[in-house]
Amino acid sequence: MPATAHINGVFQPATDRFGDFTIGHVPHSVVSPEREARRAVSHNWLIGTGFVFGLVAFFGAISLIDRALFPEPALNAQEQAYFAQAYD
């Protein structure tokens, strides 16, 4: 009888046989620890970069909504003349 593996709280056979084919189950990761560490670093970098881009997009959208809802009033010619004279 084949060895059993404890997967997700259930004991399952370590191999399955389908006719002439045998499929083995590995209960642990077969990736090297160095590769897993690099994958974790790149994963965390992607999450951080996505967070920063999300913040920039969020505040950009807030700025656009603010400008659309509360436009700055344009100065007429007389007000522009007063403004220019005030700083001469």
Side-chain angles (χ1 to χ4, degrees), residues 22-44:
T22 302
I23 299 173
H25 300 285
V26 179
H28 58 81
S29 176
V30 293
V31 179
S32 70
E34 293 85 9
R35 175 68 184 121
E36 293 224 6
R38 279 181 289 181
R39 184 183 304 164
V41 167
S42 67
H43 181 74
N44 290 340

Side-chain angles (χ1 to χ4, degrees), residues 56 59-73:
V56 169
F59 287 116
I62 294 294
S63 174
L64 290 174
I65 290 170
D66 180 54
R67 274 194 251 162
L69 294 177
F70 307 105
E72 294 185 19

